[in-house]
Amino acid sequence: TVTYGYPQLLLQTEISYADGTTERIVSDESWKLTTQGPIRTNNEYDGEEYDARMEIPGWNQVGFDDSKWQNAQPVKAPGGILKAQMMEPMRVTQVLKPVAITNPKPGVFLVDFGQSFYGTIRLKARAPRDTEVRMVSAYSVLPDGMLKTADNRGAKVTDLYIFKGEGEEVWSPIFKGQGFRRVQITGYPGQLTADQFEGLVIHTDFDPVGQFDCSNDLVNRIHHAMRWGFRMFLRSA
């Protein structure tokens, strides 16, 4: 398993209040952390594992009791010269609805967004507590209707969501993105429908400066494909 080490953070927030005063918040060893949160593993290429049973209500609210949390530990700086990122950040810039959902084998559902894009999915569903649903992303399908995962090469591209069993649960990976068109779902104890999924298109959030359209349908389709292709590569490092 490839690992990039423990999560690290260097943060300085400058706050300007309406009365003209300012405040600076800087990350240091007084900050706290816990390893008992719902995000169990995450990797851009391998996917995210989320256990909703381990969610911590109110952890980001004033007055939360963090006495059992650990203090953050200072680590060695990466070196080099710290510079501000001058480009726009990555954001969800568009939400796609599935164009189809198939059931190629018992217990297997394949959601097709009709368009290749970089991003992730959003799941909206109800299931009993402890239900584990796996979602694998890729571009194409095999002759039997199953997902062609060979296109992902060595990447697992698999998200795992474990239900807490409290009504409708809405979830999408936070620390993962992937180029894909289809998602194959297993482990759900019932019938899935297209309205339970959304495709979250993610890229550098630049403002469009123009559009193109002509009388030649082929040229329009080529332009459409190129535009989506560039959107998959316009990402922050």
Side-chain angles (χ1 to χ4, degrees), residues 142-173:
L142 297 168
D144 63 358
M146 298 288 285
L147 193 67
K148 185 181 178 183
T149 56
D151 291 341
N152 295 330
R153 294 177 288 182
K156 296 179 181 178
V157 199
T158 301
D159 298 316
L160 173 67
Y161 182 80
I162 304 176
F163 283 79
K164 59 187 174 183
E166 299 177 9
E168 183 179 65
E169 301 180 34
V170 181
W171 171 81
S172 63

Coordinates of all heavy atoms in Angstrom, one line a residue, residues 142-173:
L142 N -17.9 -3.9 -20.0 CA -17.5 -5.2 -20.7 C -18.7 -5.7 -21.5 O -19.9 -5.2 -21.3 CB -17.1 -6.2 -19.7 CG -15.8 -5.8 -18.9 CD1 -15.6 -6.8 -17.7 CD2 -14.6 -5.8 -19.8
P143 N -18.6 -6.6 -22.3 CA -19.7 -7.2 -23.1 C -20.8 -7.7 -22.3 O -22.0 -7.7 -22.7 CB -19.0 -8.3 -23.9 CG -17.6 -7.9 -24.1 CD -17.3 -7.2 -22.8
D144 N -20.5 -8.2 -21.0 CA -21.6 -8.7 -20.1 C -22.3 -7.6 -19.3 O -23.1 -7.8 -18.5 CB -21.0 -9.7 -19.2 CG -20.0 -9.2 -18.2 OD1 -19.6 -8.0 -18.3 OD2 -19.5 -10.0 -17.4
G145 N -21.9 -6.3 -19.6 CA -22.5 -5.2 -18.9 C -21.9 -4.8 -17.6 O -22.3 -3.8 -17.0
M146 N -20.8 -5.5 -17.2 CA -20.1 -5.1 -16.0 C -19.1 -4.1 -16.3 O -18.7 -3.8 -17.4 CB -19.4 -6.4 -15.4 CG -20.4 -7.5 -15.0 SD -21.4 -7.1 -13.5 CE -20.1 -7.3 -12.2
L147 N -18.6 -3.4 -15.2 CA -17.7 -2.3 -15.4 C -16.3 -2.8 -15.8 O -15.8 -3.8 -15.3 CB -17.5 -1.6 -14.0 CG -16.8 -0.2 -14.1 CD1 -17.7 0.8 -14.8 CD2 -16.6 0.3 -12.6
K148 N -15.7 -2.1 -16.7 CA -14.3 -2.5 -17.2 C -13.3 -1.8 -16.3 O -12.8 -0.7 -16.6 CB -14.2 -2.1 -18.7 CG -12.8 -2.5 -19.3 CD -12.7 -2.0 -20.7 CE -11.4 -2.5 -21.3 NZ -11.2 -1.9 -22.7
T149 N -12.9 -2.4 -15.2 CA -12.0 -1.8 -14.3 C -10.5 -1.9 -14.7 O -9.7 -1.2 -14.1 CB -12.1 -2.5 -12.9 OG1 -11.9 -3.9 -13.1 CG2 -13.5 -2.3 -12.3
A150 N -10.3 -2.6 -15.8 CA -8.9 -2.7 -16.3 C -8.4 -1.3 -16.7 O -7.2 -1.0 -16.7 CB -8.8 -3.6 -17.5
D151 N -9.3 -0.4 -17.1 CA -8.9 1.0 -17.5 C -8.3 1.7 -16.4 O -7.6 2.7 -16.6 CB -10.1 1.7 -18.0 CG -10.6 1.2 -19.4 OD1 -9.8 0.5 -20.1 OD2 -11.8 1.5 -19.7
N152 N -8.5 1.3 -15.1 CA -8.0 2.0 -13.9 C -6.6 1.5 -13.6 O -6.0 2.1 -12.7 CB -8.9 1.7 -12.7 CG -10.3 2.3 -12.9 OD1 -10.4 3.3 -13.6 ND2 -11.3 1.7 -12.3
R153 N -6.1 0.6 -14.4 CA -4.7 0.0 -14.1 C -4.6 -0.4 -12.7 O -5.4 -1.2 -12.2 CB -3.7 1.1 -14.6 CG -3.7 1.3 -16.1 CD -2.7 2.4 -16.5 NE -3.1 3.7 -16.1 CZ -2.4 4.8 -16.3 NH1 -1.3 4.7 -17.0 NH2 -2.9 6.0 -15.9
G154 N -3.6 0.1 -11.9 CA -3.4 -0.4 -10.6 C -4.2 0.3 -9.5 O -4.2 -0.1 -8.4
A155 N -5.0 1.3 -9.9 CA -5.8 2.0 -8.9 C -7.0 1.2 -8.6 O -7.7 0.7 -9.4 CB -6.2 3.4 -9.5
K156 N -7.4 1.2 -7.3 CA -8.6 0.5 -6.8 C -9.9 1.3 -7.2 O -10.9 0.7 -7.5 CB -8.5 0.3 -5.3 CG -7.4 -0.6 -4.9 CD -7.3 -0.7 -3.3 CE -6.2 -1.6 -2.9 NZ -6.1 -1.7 -1.4
V157 N -9.8 2.6 -7.0 CA -10.9 3.5 -7.4 C -12.2 3.0 -6.7 O -13.2 2.9 -7.4 CB -11.1 3.7 -8.9 CG1 -11.9 4.9 -9.2 CG2 -9.8 3.8 -9.6
T158 N -12.1 2.6 -5.5 CA -13.3 2.0 -4.8 C -13.6 2.8 -3.5 O -12.8 3.0 -2.6 CB -12.9 0.5 -4.4 OG1 -12.7 -0.2 -5.6 CG2 -14.1 -0.1 -3.7
D159 N -14.9 3.2 -3.4 CA -15.3 3.9 -2.2 C -16.2 2.9 -1.5 O -17.0 2.1 -2.0 CB -16.2 5.1 -2.6 CG -15.4 6.2 -3.4 OD1 -14.3 6.5 -2.9 OD2 -15.9 6.7 -4.4
L160 N -16.1 3.0 -0.1 CA -16.8 2.1 0.8 C -17.6 3.0 1.7 O -17.0 3.8 2.4 CB -15.9 1.2 1.5 CG -16.6 0.3 2.6 CD1 -17.6 -0.7 2.0 CD2 -15.6 -0.4 3.5
Y161 N -18.9 2.8 1.7 CA -19.8 3.6 2.7 C -20.5 2.6 3.6 O -21.2 1.7 3.1 CB -20.8 4.5 1.9 CG -21.6 5.3 2.9 CD1 -21.1 6.5 3.4 CD2 -22.9 4.9 3.2 CE1 -21.9 7.3 4.3 CE2 -23.7 5.7 4.1 CZ -23.2 6.8 4.6 OH -23.9 7.6 5.5
I162 N -20.4 2.8 4.9 CA -21.1 2.0 5.9 C -22.2 2.8 6.5 O -21.9 3.8 7.1 CB -20.1 1.5 7.0 CG1 -18.9 0.7 6.3 CG2 -20.8 0.6 7.9 CD1 -17.9 0.3 7.3
F163 N -23.4 2.3 6.4 CA -24.6 3.1 6.8 C -24.7 3.1 8.4 O -24.4 2.1 9.0 CB -25.9 2.5 6.2 CG -26.1 2.9 4.8 CD1 -25.4 2.2 3.8 CD2 -27.0 3.9 4.5 CE1 -25.6 2.6 2.5 CE2 -27.2 4.2 3.2 CZ -26.5 3.6 2.1
K164 N -25.2 4.2 8.9 CA -25.5 4.2 10.3 C -27.0 3.9 10.6 O -27.4 3.7 11.7 CB -25.2 5.6 10.9 CG -26.0 6.8 10.2 CD -25.5 8.1 10.7 CE -26.1 9.3 9.9 NZ -25.6 10.6 10.3
G165 N -27.8 3.8 9.5 CA -29.2 3.4 9.7 C -30.1 4.4 10.3 O -31.0 4.0 11.1
E166 N -29.9 5.7 9.9 CA -30.7 6.7 10.5 C -31.4 7.6 9.4 O -31.0 8.7 9.1 CB -29.9 7.6 11.5 CG -29.3 6.9 12.6 CD -28.4 7.8 13.5 OE1 -28.4 9.0 13.3 OE2 -27.8 7.2 14.4
G167 N -32.4 7.0 8.8 CA -33.1 7.7 7.7 C -32.3 7.8 6.5 O -31.4 7.0 6.2
E168 N -32.6 8.8 5.6 CA -31.8 9.0 4.4 C -30.4 9.6 4.7 O -30.3 10.6 5.4 CB -32.5 10.0 3.4 CG -31.8 10.1 2.1 CD -32.5 11.1 1.1 OE1 -32.6 12.3 1.5 OE2 -33.0 10.6 0.1
E169 N -29.4 8.9 4.2 CA -28.1 9.4 4.4 C -27.5 9.9 3.1 O -27.7 9.3 2.0 CB -27.2 8.2 4.9 CG -27.8 7.7 6.3 CD -27.0 6.5 6.9 OE1 -25.8 6.5 6.7 OE2 -27.7 5.6 7.5
V170 N -26.9 11.0 3.2 CA -26.3 11.7 2.0 C -24.8 11.8 2.2 O -24.3 12.3 3.2 CB -26.9 13.1 1.8 CG1 -26.3 13.7 0.5 CG2 -28.4 13.0 1.7
W171 N -24.0 11.3 1.2 CA -22.6 11.2 1.3 C -21.9 11.3 0.0 O -22.4 10.9 -1.0 CB -22.2 9.9 2.0 CG -20.7 9.7 2.0 CD1 -19.8 10.2 2.9 CD2 -20.0 8.9 1.1 NE1 -18.5 9.8 2.6 CE2 -18.6 8.9 1.5 CE3 -20.3 8.1 0.0 CZ2 -17.6 8.3 0.8 CZ3 -19.3 7.4 -0.7 CH2 -18.0 7.5 -0.3
S172 N -20.7 12.0 0.0 CA -19.8 12.0 -1.1 C -18.4 12.0 -0.6 O -18.2 12.6 0.5 CB -20.1 13.2 -2.0 OG -19.8 14.4 -1.4
P173 N -17.4 11.4 -1.2 CA -16.0 11.4 -0.8 C -15.5 12.9 -0.7 O -15.8 13.7 -1.6 CB -15.3 10.6 -1.8 CG -16.3 9.8 -2.5 CD -17.6 10.6 -2.4

